[in-house]
C-alpha cells in the first residue's frame, strides 16, 4: 500500500507518533476500539468505488444504481408500485432473505471463534430444511404445532450434523473443512435423490411446496394496507445474535470456546476439556445453521431445488468476516449483503443492467470483506515501519 | 581488554570485525559498544548467560537485524547487511537454535532449496537434482557429516537435522559459520560428534563462531573466547591460557550471591510422590522411564539434565497434560494419576510451563483474562456460568501490583505486546497466587534478562519459605546449583542420581548429566 516516496516523507517528520494522512488512516484501521468498525467500512467503500467504476464503464450512473438497490430492498421508495404492495412489502421480502443469512453467518462465527472453519453450513441448512419439509411440511399439522416442530427439527438436525463433524475432528483428527465439504456433497445428492424420486413437482422440477401452516413466513399479511410476507425467522435471527453475543462475551462456556479457538495448547493447560468444547461448539454452529436452513427452505423459498446447495451457505462466511466475526457486526453485515442480493432484480429493471452485474457487485463486496484482515495487517506493518524509521532517526 | 592491540592494527588474517556495535530493543540494551575481531580459520566462541546478547550480536552479522551504532567489516570491507541473503553472499551462514527445514522434503531437497540447479529441456526449466546429490555426498564424506541426501527430514533425529543445517551452509559455500547454541538439544555423544565436525571444518579453513553458555565445549574446541555479560563485552581470552573457573567468573560477573541469601531449609511432609513413572511422547517413544521421586514441603527438588532427556514430559505427566503410561503420582497421599488437569489444579498443583507462549498464555487475550485463568470458572469470578468481569478486574489489578507486571495498558493489554519477562511474571504470579502445595517450574527463566531472572528466582525461594514443595526443572546447571535443596539428574528418561544439593558439586552433576553413572 505505501509507496516508497510517501514512506520517506512520513519518516522525515519529527515527533513521537508518525503523522500525516496515510499514517492517520492506518491508525484508524488498526485501532483496537474502532478497528472492527473501520475495517469493514473501508471494505464497503472500496466495493462501492470499484463497482461504481464497473457501472460507469457500462455507461450507467452508479448513484442511480446504488439507489435502486435500496429501493429494491424496501429502504427507499420506488417510482411506482403494483396493486396492494408498497415499500413495506419490499422491506419484508428483504427480511425474508436477511433472516437465514444472519443465522448462517452466526453459525459460521460460532465455529470460527472456537477455531473451527465450518464450511458445511450449506449442507447443514439443506438437510435440516429437507427433513423439516418432509416430516412437517407435508403433514396436516396445525400451525401452532407445526412451526415449533419445524424449528426443533432444524436445530436438532443441524446440531447432530455439526456434532458429528466435531467428533470426527476430536476423535480421528479429520479436518473439519474436509469432512464438511464431503458431507455437503453427500447431503446434496441424497436429498436430491429423494426429492426427484418422491417429492418432485412435475412442473417446477423442484420439491412440492410445504403446507402454509408449517411455513415460517406468514404470507399475505395485511400491514397498513400493504400485503406483506412476514418472516418469523428475522426475530429468531436477531434473538440468536444477541444470545450468541452474550454466550461468547459473558459466560464461562463462551470464554472457553474463545480460549480453544485462540490457543488450543493453552486451553488444555488451563484445564479446559478441549475435545468436549470442540464438539459442543460445532454442535451449536450446526444448530444455528439448521435454523438458517428451515428459515430459508421453509420460509423464504418454501421449496427445495434438488441437488443444489444454496450459495448462502458460503456467502455467510464472507458476511461473518465483514462483520468482524462478531455477532452484532454480523447483523449489519447481513443487512448490507442482503440489500445487494435482494435489490438486484429491481436494479436491473430500472437501470437496465443485467441482473448478473448485481451478483458481481455482491461478489466484489464478499471478496473485499474477506480481505479485511489483510488490509488491517498492511496498516499494522506500515505503522510499524514508520515507528522503526522514527526510532532509527532519533537514535 | 586483553586483545585490544590486535583490534586497532590492520591484520591480514582477520576475517570478521565488529566495531562498537550497539543494539537496543524496547527497554533493553542487547549490545552495548561491543568490538570483536575474528581471525580466519579459528573457532571463536561467544560465551555468556542467557540474555547476555550473544545471539543478537551474531544476528547482526547474519543480517537479521541492523545495528543502531557501529560497523561491521567482513574481509576488511565495510558491510551493511539488510537481510540474511545479503550476508549469505559474503559466505556467512548460520545454524539456528530452531531448525528451518521442510519436514516432508528430502535432505537433498532441503539443502538445495533456494539455490537449485536448473536445466532446460526445450523451453521448460527442469530441476536437476542428480548433480546436487553427488555434491552433497562428496561434501558429506569430506567433512564426516554423514547425511544421505535421499532421506526424508521427518524421519531424522535432532542431531541429523542439525547436520543437514550445517550441510546447507557448506553447500552454499559459506566460509564463516555461526552456530547458535548448537549443543543445547544434543545428547552427550552427539555433542562429541558435533565438536569433531567443527574441528574438521576448521581444518579445512572455515571460520567458526560458536555461541554458547557451556564452558566445557569452549575448552574442547575453541581457540579464543569473547565473554559477554548484559550486552557488554567483558573480555576476550585465549582458551589455552584461561581456566574454566576464570571464564565462569567472568561470565557470571560476581560470586553467586543467591546461595548466601537462601535460608536453611525446613522440610515438612512429603507433598509429591512419584513412583516408577513411565511416559511416552507423541511418537510413542518412552521418554520417561521409571522415574521415582519425592518432594517435601519447603523443599526445592531440581531435576537437572540436558534438554530432551524426558524432563518436560515428566512435568507434563505430573500436571496432567500428558498421560502416564504406568506408575503412580501421589499428591499429599492421594493418587492423582487419573484426575483431569483441572482436578489436579484443584488438588493443589501450580504449573509454570516450559513454553510460556504456547502453553502458559493466550497471547491474543488481554492480561486480565490471562491472570484469571485459574479462577474464572469458580465463584466469585463466575456464578451459574456467567462471568463477573468486575471481580476479574479487581483480582487482575491486585496481581499486577503485587508481582510488578508491567504493560502498556494495564489489565487491558494484549499479552502478545508484553515483554517476555513480564509475560513470565504474569504466569508466575498467577500460579503462585493459588498457594498450591506443589509448584512445578519448568525452565522458568528461559530467554529472560538478568533482572527478570533474579525476580523469578526470588519468587521461587519465597514459595519455598511459604512451605510449598517445588519441582524445578531446568537446563541451566547454574540455576539448579543455586536453588536446589535436592538434585535429581535425569538422563535418557531415568533419574541417574538423586542426592542432597550440598553433597554434589556442579562438576559432578555435569558428569551425571552426560550419562556417567557411579
Amino acid at each position: 500500500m505505501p509507496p516508497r516516496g510517501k514512506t520517506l516523507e512520513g519518516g522525515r517528520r519529527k515527533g513521537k507518533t508518525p503523522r500525516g494522512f496515510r499514517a492517520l488512516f492506518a491508525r484508524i484501521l488498526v485501532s483496537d476500539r474502532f478497528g472492527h468498525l473501520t475495517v469493514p467500512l473501508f471494505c464497503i467503500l472500496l466495493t462501492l468505488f470499484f463497482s461504481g467504476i464497473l457501472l460507469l464503464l457500462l455507461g450507467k450512473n452508479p448513484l442511480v444504481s446504488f439507489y435502486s438497490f435500496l429501493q429494491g430492498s424496501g429502504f427507499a421508495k420506488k417510482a411506482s408500485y403494483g396493486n396492494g404492495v408498497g415499500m413495506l412489502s419490499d422491506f419484508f421480502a428483504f427480511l425474508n432473505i436477511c433472516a437465514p443469512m444472519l443465522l448462517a453467518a452466526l453459525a459460521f462465527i460460532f465455529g470460527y471463534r472456537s477455531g473451527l472453519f465450518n464450511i458445511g453450513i450449506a449442507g447443514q441448512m439443506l438437510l435440516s430444511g429437507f427433513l423439516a419439509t418432509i416430516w412437517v411440511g407435508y403433514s396436516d399439522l396445525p400451525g401452532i404445532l407445526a412451526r415449533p416442530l419445524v424449528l426443533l427439527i432444524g436445530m436438532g438436525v443441524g446440531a447432530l450434523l455439526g456434532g458429528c463433524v466435531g467428533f470426527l475432528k476430536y476423535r480421528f483428527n479429520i479436518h473439519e473443512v474436509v469432512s464438511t465439504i464431503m458431507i455437503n456433497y453427500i447431503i446434496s445428492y441424497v436429498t436430491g435423490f429423494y426429492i426427484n424420486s418422491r417429492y418432485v413437482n412435475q412442473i417446477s422440477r423442484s420439491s412440492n411446496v410445504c403446507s402454509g401452516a408449517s411455513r415460517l413466513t406468514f404470507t399475505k399479511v395485511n400491514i397498513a394496507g400493504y400485503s406483506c410476507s412476514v418472516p418469523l425467522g428475522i426475530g429468531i435471527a436477531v434473538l440468536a445474535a444477541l444470545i450468541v453475543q452474550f454466550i461468547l462475551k459473558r459466560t464461562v462456556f463462551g470464554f472457553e470456546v474463545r480460549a480453544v479457538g485462540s490457543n488450543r495448547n493453552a486451553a488444555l493447560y488451563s484445564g479446559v476439556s478441549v475435545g468436549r468444547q470442540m464438539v459442543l461448539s460445532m454442535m451449536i454452529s450446526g444448530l444455528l445453521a439448521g435454523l438458517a436452513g428451515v428459515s430459508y427452505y421453509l420460509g423464504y423459498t418454501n421449496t427445495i431445488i434438488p441437488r443444489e446447495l444454496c450459495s448462502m451457505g458460503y456467502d455467510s462466511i464472507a458476511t461473518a468476516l465483514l462483520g468482524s466475526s462478531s455477532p452484532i457486526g454480523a447483523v449489519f453485515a447481513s443487512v448490507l449483503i442482503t440489500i445487494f442480493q435482494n435489490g438486484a432484480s429491481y436494479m436491473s429493471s430500472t437501470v437496465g443492467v443485467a441482473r448478473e452485474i448485481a451478483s458481481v457487485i455482491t461478489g466484489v463486496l464478499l471478496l473485499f470483506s474477506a480481505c479485511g484482515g489483510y488490509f488491517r495487517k498492511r496498516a499494522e506493518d506500515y505503522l510499524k515501519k514508520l515507528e522503526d524509521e522514527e526510532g532509527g532517526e532519533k537514535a | 581488554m586483553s586483545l585490544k592491540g590486535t583490534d586497532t592494527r590492520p591484520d591480514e588474517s582477520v576475517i570478521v570485525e565488529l566495531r562498537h556495535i550497539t543494539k537496543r530493543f524496547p527497554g533493553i540494551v542487547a549490545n552495548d559498544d561491543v568490538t570483536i575481531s575474528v581471525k580466519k580459520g579459528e573457532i571463536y566462541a561467544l560465551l555468556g548467560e542467557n540474555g547476555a546478547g550473544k545471539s543478537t550480536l551474531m544476528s547482526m552479522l547474519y543480517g537479521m537485524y541492523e545495528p543502531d551504532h557501529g560497523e561491521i567489516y567482513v574481509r576488511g570491507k565495510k558491510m551493511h547487511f539488510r537481510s540474511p541473503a545479503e550476508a549469505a553472499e559474503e559466505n556467512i551462514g548460520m545454524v539456528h537454535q530452531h531448525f528451518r527445514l521442510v519436514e516432508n522434503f528430502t535432505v537433498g531437497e532441503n539443502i538445495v532449496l533456494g539455490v537449485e540447479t536448473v536445466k532446460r529441456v526445450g523451453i521448460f526449466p527442469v530441476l536437476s537434482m542428480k548433480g546436487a546429490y553427488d555434491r552433497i555426498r562428496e561434501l558429506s564424506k569430506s567433512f564426516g557429516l554423514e547425511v544421505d541426501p535421499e532421506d526424508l527430514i521427518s524421519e531424522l533425529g535432532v542431531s541429523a537435522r542439525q547436520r543437514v543445517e550445517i550441510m546447507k551452509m557448506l553447500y552454499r559455500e559459506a566460509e564463516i559459520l555461526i552456530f547458535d547454541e548448537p549443543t543445547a538439544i544434543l545428547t552427550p555423544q552427539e555433542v562429541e560428534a558435533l565438536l569433531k565436525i567443527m574441528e574438521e571444518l576448521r581444518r579445512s579453513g572455515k571460520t567458526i563462531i560458536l555461541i554458547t553458555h557451556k564452558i566445557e565445549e569452549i575448552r574442547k574446541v575453541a581457540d579464543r573466547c569473547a565473554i559477554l555479560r548484559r550486552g557488554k563485552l567483558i573480555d576476550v581470552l585465549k582458551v589455552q591460557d584461561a581456566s574454566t573457573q576464570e571464564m565462569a567468573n567472568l561470565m557470571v560477573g560476581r560470586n553467586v550471591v543467591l546461595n548466601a541469601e537462601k535460608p536453611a531449609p525446613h522440610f515438612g511432609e512429603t507433598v509429591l510422590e512419584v513412583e516408577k513413572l513411565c511416559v511416552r511422547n507423541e511418537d510413542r517413544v518412552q521418554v520417561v522411564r521409571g522415574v521415582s521421586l519425592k518432594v517435601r514441603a519447603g523443599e526445592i527438588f531440581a531435576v537437572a539434565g540436558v534438554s530432551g532427556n524426558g524432563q518436560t514430559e515428566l512435568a507434563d505427566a505430573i500436571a496432567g497434560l500428558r498421560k502416564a503410561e504406568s506408575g503412580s503420582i501421589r499428591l499429599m497421599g492421594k493418587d492423582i494419576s487419573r484426575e483431569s488437569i483441572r482436578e489436579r489444579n484443584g488438588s493443589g498443583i501450580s504449573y509454570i510451563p516450559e513454553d510460556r507462549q504456547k502453553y502458559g498464555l493466550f497471547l491474543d487475550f488481554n492480561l486480565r483474562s490471562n491472570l484469571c485463568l485459574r479462577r474464572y470458572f469458580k465463584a466469585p469470578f463466575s456464578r451459574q456460568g456467567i462471568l463477573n468481569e468486575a471481580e476479574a478486574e479487581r483480582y487482575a489489578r491486585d496481581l499486577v501490583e503485587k508481582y510488578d507486571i508491567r504493560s502498556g495498558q494495564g489489565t487491558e493489554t494484549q499479552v502478545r505486546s508484553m515483554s517476555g519477562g513480564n509475560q513470565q511474571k504474569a504466569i508466575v504470579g498467577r500460579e503462585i497466587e493459588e498457594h498450591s502445595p506443589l509448584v512445578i517450574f519448568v525452565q522458568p527463566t528461559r530467554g529472560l534478562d538478568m533482572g527478570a531472572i533474579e525476580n523469578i528466582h526470588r519468587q521461587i525461594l519465597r514459595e519455598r519459605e511459604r512451605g510449598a514443595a517445588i519441582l524445578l526443572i531446568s537446563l541451566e546447571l547454574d540455576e539448579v546449583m543455586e536453588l536446589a535443596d535436592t538434585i535429581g539428574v535425569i538422563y535418557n528418561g531415568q533419574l541417574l542420581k538423586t542426592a542432597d544439593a550440598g553433597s554434589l558439586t556442579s562438576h559432578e552433576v555435569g558428569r551425571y548429566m552426560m550419562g556417567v553413572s557411579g
Side-chain angles (χ1 to χ4, degrees):
Chain A
M1 202 159 38
R4 206 157 255 275
K6 284 277 182 176
T7 320
L8 287 175
E9 185 193 300
R12 227 181 282 137
R13 286 168 204 278
K14 283 172 188 151
K16 271 199 168 168
T17 45
R19 255 172 273 162
F21 172 71
R22 195 174 274 272
L24 178 75
F25 180 64
R27 240 174 307 133
I28 289 174
L29 286 190
V30 172
S31 145
D32 278 343
R33 277 179 66 190
F34 303 112
H36 60 277
L37 254 173
T38 49
V39 173
L41 268 177
F42 177 63
C43 300
I44 293 163
L45 284 177
L46 270 181
T47 308
L48 293 181
F49 179 71
F50 278 103
S51 42
I53 289 178
L54 179 73
L55 288 163
L56 276 177
L57 285 177
L58 291 168
K60 309 293 173 193
N61 183 342
L63 292 178
V64 173
S65 317
F66 293 140
Y67 191 61
S68 63
F69 278 114
L70 291 178
Q71 291 173 315
S73 294
F75 283 92
K77 212 162 174 56
K78 286 178 186 173
S80 65
Y81 287 99
N83 230 354
V85 289
M87 212 171 106
L88 212 55
S89 323
D90 288 336
F91 182 68
F92 275 107
F94 155 82
L95 289 182
N96 262 302
I97 316 186
C98 194
M101 179 61 109
L102 175 54
L103 284 164
L106 290 174
F108 181 77
I109 287 169
F110 210 95
Y112 191 65
R113 286 296 196 87
S114 68
L116 298 165
F117 206 92
N118 184 4
I119 206 166
I121 293 170
Q124 289 147 16
M125 283 171 71
L126 179 56
L127 188 67
S128 48
F130 172 75
L131 289 178
T133 301
I134 60 168
W135 287 341
V136 185
Y138 297 157
S139 71
D140 319 317
L141 289 172
I144 191 118
L145 269 176
R147 290 201 179 91
L149 214 55
V150 165
L151 291 176
L152 278 178
I153 290 171
M155 292 194 279
V157 173
L160 274 179
L161 268 174
C164 166
V165 172
F167 181 75
L168 286 174
K169 167 116 186 174
Y170 159 64
R171 187 72 181 76
F172 302 107
N173 203 17
I174 299 173
H175 200 280
E176 72 278 5
V177 168
V178 176
S179 59
T180 46
I181 288 177
M182 294 305 156
I183 291 173
N184 274 357
Y185 279 116
I186 296 170
I187 292 171
S188 164
Y189 284 107
V190 170
T191 54
F193 169 77
Y194 278 106
I195 291 170
N196 277 332
S197 58
R198 293 189 192 177
Y199 309 111
V200 77
N201 181 313
Q202 292 306 330
I203 298 150
S204 71
R205 282 286 165 205
S206 169
S207 72
N208 293 316
V209 294
C210 319
S211 73
S214 65
R215 196 169 170 186
L216 298 178
T217 297
F218 302 94
T219 52
K220 292 186 184 131
V221 181
N222 191 324
I223 301 175
Y226 300 117
S227 160
C228 302
S229 303
V230 182
L232 207 59
I234 193 68
I236 296 169
V238 172
L239 190 68
L242 294 174
I243 292 174
V244 169
Q245 172 82 1
F246 180 79
I247 291 177
L248 287 176
K249 276 232 104 142
R250 302 294 312 274
T251 65
V252 170
F253 174 72
F255 180 78
E256 294 189 347
V257 166
R258 288 187 288 127
V260 172
S262 173
N263 181 345
R264 209 162 283 174
N265 290 314
L268 184 73
Y269 160 83
S270 343
V272 177
S273 43
V274 175
R276 178 174 151 266
Q277 208 57 244
M278 274 198 301
V279 176
L280 274 176
S281 307
M282 255 338 251
M283 279 182 82
I284 294 178
S285 175
L287 180 148
L288 290 162
L291 277 177
V294 291
S295 62
Y296 184 82
Y297 291 111
L298 284 95
Y300 171 56
T301 65
N302 206 26
T303 176
I304 300 171
I305 302 169
R307 290 209 342 228
E308 192 178 285
L309 289 161
C310 65
S311 65
M312 185 179 280
Y314 302 101
D315 294 348
S316 62
I317 295 171
T319 308
L321 295 178
L322 180 65
S324 302
S325 58
S326 112
I328 303 304
V331 175
F332 295 102
S334 49
V335 165
L336 189 78
I337 286 191
T338 316
I339 286 177
F340 281 113
Q341 294 190 333
N342 186 46
S345 49
Y346 184 70
M347 191 277 301
S348 89
S349 69
T350 48
V351 190
V353 204
R355 232 189 102 87
E356 283 70 25
I357 293 300
S359 313
V360 173
I361 296 176
T362 330
V364 172
L365 177 59
L366 296 182
L367 184 68
F368 279 130
S369 40
C371 296
Y374 170 75
F375 295 139
R376 195 177 167 134
K377 175 92 180 36
R378 282 303 290 259
E380 263 170 26
D381 287 353
Y382 173 65
L383 279 182
K384 207 181 242 167
K385 209 167 143 197
L386 276 190
E387 267 166 34
D388 283 354
E389 278 170 19
E390 294 271 322
E393 275 189 10
K394 256 186 277 167
Chain B
M1 278 160 218
S2 52
L3 288 177
K4 220 164 200 170
T6 51
D7 282 352
T8 44
R9 221 180 307 133
D11 192 338
E12 279 291 296
S13 62
V14 169
I15 189 162
V16 171
E17 238 191 311
L18 305 176
R19 287 191 197 158
H20 307 293
I21 298 285
T22 297
K23 177 77 188 170
R24 294 190 187 87
F25 290 113
I28 180 172
V29 183
N31 290 130
D32 189 357
D33 196 19
V34 176
T35 300
I36 60 169
S37 67
V38 183
K39 289 184 202 153
K40 184 168 166 42
E42 72 172 336
I43 298 183
Y44 191 92
L46 283 179
L47 176 67
E49 292 189 284
N50 272 340
K54 301 162 294 189
S55 297
T56 313
L57 189 63
M58 283 305 110
S59 298
M60 282 184 275
L61 177 57
Y62 181 61
M64 299 268 284
Y65 303 124
E66 288 180 63
D68 294 341
H69 282 292
E71 290 135 18
I72 298 171
Y73 291 86
V74 178
R75 299 184 192 89
K77 255 187 355 194
K78 192 172 172 183
M79 292 290 157
H80 287 284
F81 292 133
R82 267 187 227 100
S83 69
E86 288 182 18
E89 277 173 27
E90 294 297 323
N91 306 85
I92 299 173
M94 185 159 177
V95 173
H96 297 272
Q97 253 172 316
H98 303 283
F99 302 147
R100 288 148 196 223
L101 297 169
V102 184
E103 288 268 326
N104 51 0
F105 274 24
T106 65
V107 168
E109 284 164 339
N110 266 287
I111 290 171
V112 303
L113 196 63
V115 290
E116 303 89 347
T117 335
V118 176
K119 262 194 319 204
R120 280 191 182 274
V121 176
I123 53 160
F124 300 107
V126 173
L127 202 57
S128 153
M129 292 299 284
K130 198 170 170 307
Y133 277 26
D134 289 344
R135 220 188 114 208
I136 291 166
R137 289 209 177 88
E138 198 180 293
L139 281 171
S140 159
K141 209 181 283 167
S142 61
F143 291 106
L145 273 169
E146 291 173 50
V147 291
D148 184 348
E150 282 170 55
D151 284 344
L152 267 181
I153 292 293
S154 53
E155 287 165 5
L156 297 182
V158 187
S159 110
R161 287 178 192 214
Q162 191 175 50
R163 290 199 296 272
V164 175
E165 285 280 4
I166 298 171
M167 183 63 84
K168 244 162 90 177
M169 296 197 295
L170 296 176
Y171 189 81
R172 286 160 174 72
E173 287 166 350
E175 289 297 323
I176 302 157
L177 296 89
I178 307 167
F179 286 82
D180 190 358
E181 301 270 0
T183 56
I185 39 167
L186 299 181
T187 66
Q189 296 85 342
E190 291 167 339
V191 171
E192 286 301 318
L194 175 68
L195 296 182
K196 243 183 225 128
I197 291 168
M198 287 185 169
E199 282 172 344
E200 196 62 48
L201 290 167
R202 173 171 57 189
R203 201 165 304 148
S204 70
K206 310 266 185 205
T207 309
I208 293 175
I209 301 175
L210 171 65
I211 302 173
T212 186
H213 60 264
K214 292 181 187 151
I215 297 168
E216 281 314 306
E217 289 159 16
I218 293 176
R219 293 215 64 88
K220 277 184 194 146
V221 296
D223 301 303
R224 289 193 299 155
C225 160
I227 297 160
L228 291 174
R229 193 199 314 146
R230 299 193 202 195
K232 289 200 176 113
L233 180 69
I234 302 301
D235 208 345
V236 182
L237 301 172
K238 268 214 158 71
V239 174
Q240 281 177 329
D241 308 339
S243 71
T244 306
Q245 190 57 46
E246 194 180 341
M247 285 197 264
N249 284 351
L250 286 171
M251 175 169 95
V252 181
R254 62 197 154 123
N255 290 329
V256 185
V257 255
L258 269 171
N259 260 336
E261 284 172 10
K262 202 172 101 178
H266 306 283
F267 297 147
E269 306 247 294
T270 300
V271 173
L272 175 73
E273 196 175 357
V274 174
E275 238 172 278
K276 297 199 183 83
L277 186 72
C278 294
V279 184
R280 284 181 192 275
N281 68 5
E282 8 340 279
D283 302 329
R284 310 288 309 134
V285 179
Q286 204 177 49
V287 284
V288 177
R289 305 196 280 183
V291 166
S292 301
L293 57 87
K294 262 186 206 173
V295 191
R296 288 162 288 181
E299 176 183 18
I300 298 179
F301 187 106
V303 176
V306 178
S307 169
N309 276 298
Q311 49 276 71
T312 319
E313 288 83 358
L314 172 65
D316 280 353
I318 295 170
L321 262 73
R322 208 176 272 279
K323 256 201 205 111
E325 187 189 13
S326 61
S328 76
I329 304 163
R330 247 187 262 281
L331 188 68
M332 294 177 293
K334 186 174 71 161
D335 188 1
I336 56 162
S337 47
R338 302 228 159 266
E339 286 187 351
S340 73
I341 297 168
R342 187 155 287 173
E343 282 165 343
R344 290 184 207 208
N345 289 337
S347 308
I349 298 182
S350 282
Y351 182 25
I352 288 91
E354 179 177 20
D355 193 332
R356 70 185 75 105
Q357 304 201 328
K358 194 170 164 196
Y359 285 94
L361 295 166
F362 292 96
L363 293 179
D364 293 321
F365 286 7
N366 60 24
L367 181 57
R368 180 187 338 120
S369 309
N370 275 291
L371 286 174
C372 296
L373 227 47
R374 287 275 177 246
R375 302 193 168 200
Y376 69 89
F377 48 88
K378 291 189 287 209
F381 292 84
S382 63
R383 286 179 211 281
Q384 270 95 47
I386 312 280
L387 294 169
N388 181 350
E389 291 282 325
E391 186 60 37
E393 176 64 25
R394 203 170 310 141
Y395 180 70
R397 284 226 176 120
D398 278 357
L399 289 201
V400 165
E401 183 131 334
K402 194 164 169 191
Y403 295 94
D404 188 29
I405 306 163
R406 295 191 198 152
S407 59
Q409 291 126 36
T411 56
E412 289 292 339
T413 317
Q414 218 186 38
V415 170
R416 188 183 291 284
S417 69
M418 290 165 47
S419 73
N422 280 303
Q423 290 180 350
Q424 188 72 340
K425 277 195 226 164
I427 298 178
V428 169
R430 175 184 78 204
E431 297 302 314
I432 286 180
E433 205 55 24
E434 294 306 304
H435 306 298
S436 303
L438 173 67
V439 189
I440 305 172
F441 289 89
V442 183
Q443 289 269 73
T445 56
R446 189 170 90 161
L448 301 185
D449 61 56
M450 298 299 287
I453 291 176
E454 291 207 25
N455 178 304
I456 304 290
H457 283 181
R458 260 202 312 279
Q459 300 286 2
I460 295 175
L461 288 175
R462 208 172 290 159
E463 278 300 278
R464 171 174 173 266
E465 277 301 281
R466 176 177 70 78
I470 292 162
L471 182 65
L472 169 69
I473 294 178
S474 177
L475 304 181
E476 307 293 329
L477 189 47
D478 302 340
E479 188 167 77
V480 169
M481 297 310 293
E482 254 178 55
L483 297 172
D485 295 312
T486 311
I487 296 176
V489 186
I490 196 165
Y491 177 77
N492 212 356
Q494 289 171 315
L495 276 189
L496 269 194
K497 174 87 180 173
T498 307
D500 221 44
S503 68
L504 288 169
T505 65
S506 75
H507 198 73
E508 284 169 317
V509 176
R511 271 225 322 274
Y512 288 117
M513 280 163 68
M514 299 300 162
V516 188
S517 48

